[in-house]
Amino acid sequence: MEASYQQFADADDSEDTPQGSGIMIHFVPESGKAARWNHIEDLDSFFSKVYQYHQKHGFRVMAVHEFFDLFQFVFVVIFSAYLFYCVDYEILFKNKPPPNKNEKVSLSDALLGCHECVQTFDTKIWCIIIIASIFWLLRAVKVFYHLFQFYDVKAFYNVALKINDGDLDNVTWHEVQKRVREVQLEQQMCIHKKDLTQLDIYHRILRFKNYLVAMVNKNLLPVKLNIPVIGETVYLTHGLKYNIEFFLFWGPWSPFENNWHLKEEYKKVNRRHDLAQILSKMITYVAMANLLLCPLILLWQILYSFFSYAEIIKREPGVLGARCWSLYGKIYLRHFNELDHELYARLNRAYRPASKYMNSFTDPFMTEVARNFIFVGGSIAAVLIILTLYDEDVINVEYVLTILSLLIMALTILRGFIPDENMVWCPEVLMTQVLSQVHYIPDSWRGKAHTSKVRQEFAQLFQFKAIYLVSELLSPIVTPLMLLFYIRPKALDIVDFYRNFTVEVVGVGDVCSFAQMDVRRHGNPMWQSTPALATVAPQPAAPPNQYTQAEDGKTELSLLHFTMMNPDWQPPADARDFMAGIRSRAGPPSTNSAFGVAMSGLSPRPGMPGTSQIPPLFSDSENDDVTPSMIRTGLTRAEGPLPFGLGLYVTNQQQPMMDYSLGASVFGPDSVLPEGVSLTHDMNNSTLYLHDLHQRHVRRRGPQQREMNVWQRHSTQPTSVVSSTVAGAGAGAGTAGGGGERTPLLLTAPNTYYNPS
């Protein structure tokens, strides 16, 4: 049953962003070698294809997938047209006798021949078929073009990386990335830098996604709507996301000149109003195009959804009551510089506690109603089943089979309203288990995980599959309205965002400055601490700049996650100081520590459910030491390098480990890790520690106005002042200029962190 749920939840969740420029490789024949990759013009597309090739299991699987996509499109169009025009439903339903006047109706009597069927086609269906044929031809050209690209990538894997397709499933992305960096040193794929760092490769693959994550983090996109009765909600579908990416990143009139370079005019403050008008017009044109194509897109959505999900819903009606991570949730919970497989691994680990949390809320009224309906409906269904077993002719009585099928579906859905009698009510503990994996929750949820308000807000991240399907079906109608009335007015904000938060990096091009994970520039002192200041008198923190800070600790947690995923990455000085502060404060667990109920002010009691493995995330005592426990979860080899991590501590030795992120080596490459040590454990513990640290800062600041998690275009500072401030921190990030890295990865000037002690 879980397999079908996963199949249902994963449908249409492709995160691939179109890369328009393609791959341009200069092959230089060399003696003893088939080819040489000495210069690749579009490294963004190339590294994206290299990553996709690894994640999608090689050329053969990808080719079969592409061809079956073409086949499915043809099948849906032809099969739908046949059902509408080539079936005589009057004969099929016995409303009129068949032509041969036999008493028994066969299926062939209701089906028309091909010639007779085509004669029934009207102008409308011919227009649909012509449009569909043009779309299919364009799609076919794109498929064949992709196949040629991936055949080049296959040669790169086989020749340069020395990895055969049969070995792809046994090689982690971390190992592929290591070999890519070695090839760069030998053949100079990038001619602007001799050595490519792990961050350079991530920037190439995730350039546009980092911009999108930053816009969502600053609440610039998507738009939150206040709907009567429902309240505040976030609407984001695949169709709306596709349109946003089209006019923001890769469309022909987007702000990007190519995959790696933002147009120079977007870096000039005096052009902001003109560019906002141009972007506003483009959004209007895209919205109008969506309105014109709305009937065809809506028809396709309905037909494709029906053919995709009808069998699953028929076999397991309860699947509509299952939950999945929403598209908005996937972007909101994503770190900067986090690849797809890393994100999905985290969300998959959080699925069970998230489901338990949502299922722990029950409505007594609906429970009583459901029980009585189940009693009545179950009785009727039981009688029909017994009569059918006694005499099979009962099933042929009109509407008996329909009634029985509907009753079974209704009973399956109603059972979802009845809580498990063995369930223990512990929403705070479950929310902490979720947080340890997803890493982000709003501050307003602190201590309120038991309330319906928090549950409703969490449901925007973890929604019912039925709501997901309805949203996607309505997307062709709602998307143009969202573009016209909600996205278009933000054109000036988007232009300002590009100018203020774009930096140029040598060998990479223009990237979102938030993706640099600079804890000094985009970090928040309320999420930081250093061991050097732990025993020193408190120092006043610098006035926070809400405009340049990432929200919800996104910079700090992203840096932490990236360091763990890439332990041999050499971070700059500020990043090393930040990581050292986490290591010193989130030290080895105390043998006498008592684990409290998470996200609550309650003291732990012996035998309380769920307190044996959950650290006290939000304690009300200001003198408590943070001693997170090990939360045991699985880790797949595809997610990251197993023998590496932050190295907070070794469970069975109670000794701090050396820091792999600084290049130290504790275990050999073939060593077996001690029990309890893993990358996932360290990330979970560090996440809970940072959230606890943040809450301590909030408490010590006293009651103040809640921080605004909004895009501050109407800031107290003029736009030019804000822009110059950001650009000043980035050494000319907001101006056009020559080559060279406009902003260092992290400035090495001494950094003063807010001291929680």
Side-chain angles (χ1 to χ4, degrees), residues 77 200 365 405 458 508 515 529:
V77 173
D200 293 338
F365 176 79
S405 300
F458 185 69
V508 177
S529 174

Side-chain angles (χ1 to χ4, degrees), residues 17-35:
T17 300
Q19 302 286 338
S21 297
I23 305 174
M24 297 185 66
I25 305 176
H26 295 267
F27 291 99
V28 180
E30 192 177 66
S31 58
K33 293 185 179 180

Side-chain angles (χ1 to χ4, degrees), residues 678-749:
S678 81
L679 181 151
T680 309
H681 296 162
D682 289 348
M683 188 67 208
N684 293 347
N685 298 328
S686 302
T687 297
L688 297 181
Y689 162 72
L690 284 178
H691 277 271
D692 182 85
L693 176 66
H694 173 63
Q695 291 303 323
R696 291 166 184 266
H697 284 311
V698 172
R699 287 196 299 269
R700 291 175 184 180
R701 286 181 60 185
Q704 295 183 2
Q705 183 179 2
R706 186 170 177 263
E707 292 182 352
M708 296 168 57
N709 187 18
V710 296
W711 176 251
Q712 297 185 346
R713 177 163 67 91
H714 303 290
S715 173
T716 55
Q717 293 179 322
T719 304
S720 58
V721 176
V722 174
S723 176
S724 61
T725 302
V726 178
T735 59
E741 187 169 351
R742 303 294 186 87
T743 301
L745 179 60
L746 285 173
L747 299 180
T748 57

Side-chain angles (χ1 to χ4, degrees), residues 619-625 695-696 699-701 756-757:
S619 173
D620 287 337
S621 173
E622 296 186 2
N623 299 319
D624 293 342
D625 291 329
Q695 291 303 323
R696 291 166 184 266
R699 287 196 299 269
R700 291 175 184 180
R701 286 181 60 185
S757 300

